[in-house]
Amino acid sequence: MKKKVITFGELMLRLAPQGYTRFVQADSFGATYGGGEANVAVSLANYGHDAYFVSALPAHEIGQAALNSLRRYGVLTDYINRSGNRLGIYFLEKGASQRPSKVIYDRADSSIALAKKEDFDWDAIFKDAKWFHFTGITPALNDNVAEITLEACQKAKEHGVKISCDLNYRNKLWSKAKAKEVMSELTKYIDVCIANEEDANDVFGIHAANTDVTKGEVNHEGYKEVAKELMDTFGFEKVTITLRESISANRNLWSAMLYDGDDFYFSKKYDLNIVDRVGGGDSFGGGLIHALLEEKDPQSAIEFAVAASALKHSIEGDYNLVSVDEVEKLAGGDGSGRVQR
């Protein structure tokens, strides 16, 4: 059954050289659109929900093109404020083998960064909504957007809306100290915390023992302790941690864990040959939210979320363009990649 879901954040223009060309080699850039919460909204729209993306976009043609990219995949844009003059940009250089991918931001003074509290009628936005999702990227933009995010969380709680947050620490946007200060206030409202192997340590100083992400080593027992400490400290209902073992830029082992306060649930592990990694965490979040809205049991929920994300790694662009049926087939064990006729 479809549910009204709200996500809030920044939608950006993504400019990337063709294939694995480096920035300094490129003489042209392909243009697509994406952003953490927008990516989640696309996933949820594809899964059949009424997914609304809340943001601010300029009223000129580039802002309209960005908005159209969401509408193309069924995302509802009624609550996007048309203001400001800039669409944020990020440049992506795809890594290969032992050379990592690189992201360069050009997003200062974007429309959402200059938005005002009065631009968003949260009472109307959250009417009949079941879920609200944001990431740590949004409050990292500046103090003003952090205040808008806090107000959104407070209003969501007034309307009885469940709240999820992907910590998504970005060191190019803010310091660890600032992230801890701001996110510690926002955690008071969060029901479901999504983190990866680095976020909990970068934002809250909670580290998994015997784990080194640069060496592709994951210790399940260490992450159990991280999840338990997050829940004990902040009172989350659920904590999920994605576990990425990086063998190279093109090949990762991918799995996740869910902790509900009683038990720990680990997904199966996928051996990924990566086409496009950007948006992988967002596709996990979208899959998890769908599974929880559908009241799947914890093991089924984490399997659905990880399978959704595994599929995203095979798709160019930020958006995860897969159906519920495709995800469920992979989660059920059909990962052969054989032609479907």
Side-chain angles (χ1 to χ4, degrees), residues 330 333-339:
L330 179 57
D334 183 1
S336 65
R338 293 177 64 86
V339 176

Side-chain angles (χ1 to χ4, degrees), residues 211-287:
T211 293
D212 185 345
V213 297
T214 64
K215 295 180 179 178
E217 298 173 358
V218 168
N219 172 24
H220 282 191
E221 292 303 316
Y223 284 112
K224 286 182 180 180
E225 291 302 314
V226 168
K228 189 173 187 307
E229 188 170 346
L230 282 169
M231 185 172 288
D232 290 347
T233 303
F234 300 109
F236 302 130
E237 288 182 9
K238 293 180 176 65
V239 174
T240 62
I241 298 178
T242 55
L243 307 172
R244 185 185 296 274
E245 300 169 70
S246 294
I247 298 169
S248 71
N250 304 92
R251 186 178 171 215
N252 289 176
L253 303 180
W254 181 243
S255 60
M257 179 196 74
L258 183 152
Y259 177 51
D260 64 0
D262 296 318
D263 294 303
F264 299 91
Y265 302 87
F266 285 88
S267 74
K268 63 170 65 75
K269 185 182 294 186
Y270 294 91
D271 191 336
L272 305 178
N273 293 303
I274 298 172
V275 171
D276 193 332
R277 173 178 165 171
V278 177
D282 305 320
S283 59
F284 172 87

Side-chain angles (χ1 to χ4, degrees), residues 291-311:
L292 295 177
L293 284 170
E294 293 297 299
E295 300 181 354
K296 291 181 180 287
D297 64 83
Q299 189 65 52
S300 297
I302 198 67
E303 295 290 2
F304 186 94
V306 171
S309 185
L311 288 171

Side-chain angles (χ1 to χ4, degrees), residues 42-179:
V42 169
S43 284
L44 290 165
N46 283 331
Y47 300 149
H49 296 286
D50 288 332
Y52 289 81
F53 177 61
V54 182
S55 189
L57 292 173
H60 55 53
E61 289 88 346
I62 302 302
Q64 187 63 41
L67 186 141
N68 290 348
S69 76
L70 297 173
R71 288 179 172 170
R72 177 182 181 183
Y73 299 112
V75 175
L76 299 163
T77 58
D78 307 51
Y79 306 128
I80 292 180
N81 187 57
R82 305 304 295 273
S83 61
N85 297 308
R86 273 210 80 205
L87 184 71
I89 300 171
Y90 82 93
F91 297 87
L92 172 67
E93 178 186 281
K94 279 190 185 179
S97 190
Q98 278 65 52
R99 174 173 61 84
S101 296
K102 282 189 175 180
V103 169
I104 297 174
Y105 291 123
D106 179 15
R107 63 201 300 180
D109 297 325
S110 66
S111 291
I112 188 64
L114 300 179
K116 303 177 181 65
K117 281 187 175 182
E118 55 265 31
D119 291 338
F120 306 102
D121 182 352
W122 294 111
D123 286 317
I125 291 169
F126 287 123
K127 186 177 186 299
D128 299 323
K130 300 299 181 184
W131 203 281
F132 173 53
H133 177 78
F134 70 99
T135 76
I137 297 171
T138 299
L141 295 176
N142 57 40
D143 288 344
N144 175 57
V145 182
E147 289 179 8
I148 295 173
T149 307
L150 177 60
E151 183 177 57
C153 288
Q154 291 168 339
K155 285 292 184 180
K157 279 299 175 192
E158 288 179 18
H159 286 263
V161 176
K162 289 287 185 185
I163 301 176
S164 59
C165 175
D166 188 334
L167 295 181
N168 254 350
Y169 176 72
R170 296 290 185 266
N171 61 13
K172 292 184 178 181
L173 295 180
W174 59 357
S175 68
K176 293 178 181 179
K178 183 67 173 179

Side-chain angles (χ1 to χ4, degrees), residues 288-336:
L288 180 72
I289 293 167
H290 169 74
L292 295 177
L293 284 170
E294 293 297 299
E295 300 181 354
K296 291 181 180 287
D297 64 83
Q299 189 65 52
S300 297
I302 198 67
E303 295 290 2
F304 186 94
V306 171
S309 185
L311 288 171
K312 164 61 194 79
H313 286 76
S314 73
I315 297 170
E316 293 275 9
D318 276 51
Y319 299 154
N320 192 22
L321 307 177
V322 297
S323 66
V324 169
D325 184 60
E326 288 173 314
V327 177
E328 288 183 339
K329 281 182 178 177
L330 179 57
D334 183 1
S336 65

